[in-house]
Structure formats: C-alpha cells, structure tokens
Amino acid sequence: SAPWYLVPAIVVGFVVMFSTIWSGVSGLLALTSGWRSMAERYAAPEGLQGAPLASGHAVRLGVASYRGVMSFEAAPQGLVVRVMRLFPFHPTLLIPWDALSLARTSGFFTAGTMSVRNGATFSLNGDAYASIERAMSDSGGTVGLRRSQ
C-alpha cells in the first residue's frame, strides 16, 4: 500500500510546480511584450484609480495577447493600464496622455493602434480604441492624438 503522505505530497508538488511555471510564463510574457520596459518609465503610483474605460477582448501588446486580462482607466494624469493580478510581473502603468498616439487601422481584429512614446504598441479593438480616443480628447491630451487612415 502507498504511504499516507503520497497524495498530499503530489498535491503540494503540483501546486509548487504549477506556480513556478505560471510565474515563469508570466515573466516571459511581460518581458517579450515590452511591459517590463514600460513599467520602468511609466509605473503608476500605488492605489491610483481612474474612470473605467471599455477594454475589449482583443488587445495585443507587441507579440503578446492580453485578451480579456487587460483593463484601461482614464485618470487626469494619463491612461491607467492594468493586467489581472493573476499575472505577476505586470505592475500597473500610468501613461501620460502626451506620451500616447492613436492611429486607426483597418485590421480584421483591430480598429487601431496605440503607440507609447519610448514603449510598445497596443493593438486595440473598436470599443477600446473609441473609449481611449474619447478619454484623450476629454482630458485635453490631444497632443499625442493622431489619426491615420
């Protein structure tokens, strides 16, 4: 018969292994997408909250898909960008309005892109693009707003 501790050891081993793999994949995602480098420049102050914007389910950052796990908020200082807490190594960003530029595209899954000065480029669906565009205009942050066809 199997020792009494075998099942608990398997459960604990699974949890440890899964957590290690999840953290490694999340860290790699943050690195390859450009999130880590943006976090160095655009780290949000602790506890910052903005008005929720439509985030959409088709959001890409560089080569990485953040579909359904990224949210946007409008704050007077800029755009707050968050990733679900389940994804370590993704601190909340506060990107100043004048560091953003929007460009309309005619992609199949995207309505436009949002480029961050000294950062990465987000591919956005229609809802996310329109809500960020409106928030930029409302904030007076039209400096970085550009529309290309």
Side-chain angles (χ1 to χ4, degrees):
S1 145
W4 66 268
Y5 56 84
L6 187 59
V7 172
I10 290 172
V11 170
V12 169
F14 174 79
V15 169
V16 168
M17 191 62 128
F18 180 81
S19 299
T20 302
I21 291 170
W22 183 264
S23 294
V25 168
S26 185
L28 187 61
L29 186 66
L31 188 63
T32 60
S33 69
W35 193 278
R36 294 302 300 167
S37 61
M38 284 194 301
E40 291 172 6
R41 289 184 207 79
Y42 302 116
E46 196 68 35
L48 177 69
Q49 295 289 320
L53 300 174
S55 298
H57 293 286
V59 177
R60 294 187 71 79
L61 178 55
V63 297
S65 175
Y66 284 88
R67 190 165 142 180
V69 299
M70 186 181 291
S71 65
F72 300 113
E73 300 168 12
Q77 312 92 313
L79 183 69
V80 179
V81 186
R82 298 181 196 280
V83 172
M84 280 183 173
R85 292 180 189 227
L86 288 172
F87 295 86
F89 309 110
H90 288 81
T92 302
L93 305 177
L94 172 61
I95 305 170
W97 294 115
D98 65 354
L100 298 173
S101 53
L102 295 173
R104 281 248 180 237
T105 59
S106 57
F108 187 69
F109 292 112
T110 61
T113 59
M114 177 177 67
S115 297
V116 179
R117 183 178 55 231
N118 299 323
T121 298
F122 294 77
S123 296
L124 306 170
N125 73 352
D127 292 340
Y129 184 92
S131 67
I132 293 169
E133 183 178 44
R134 198 169 27 259
M136 284 179 76
S137 295
D138 291 349
S139 74
T142 56
V143 174
L145 182 62
R146 103 177 172 267
R147 291 188 183 104
S148 10
Q149 302 300 332

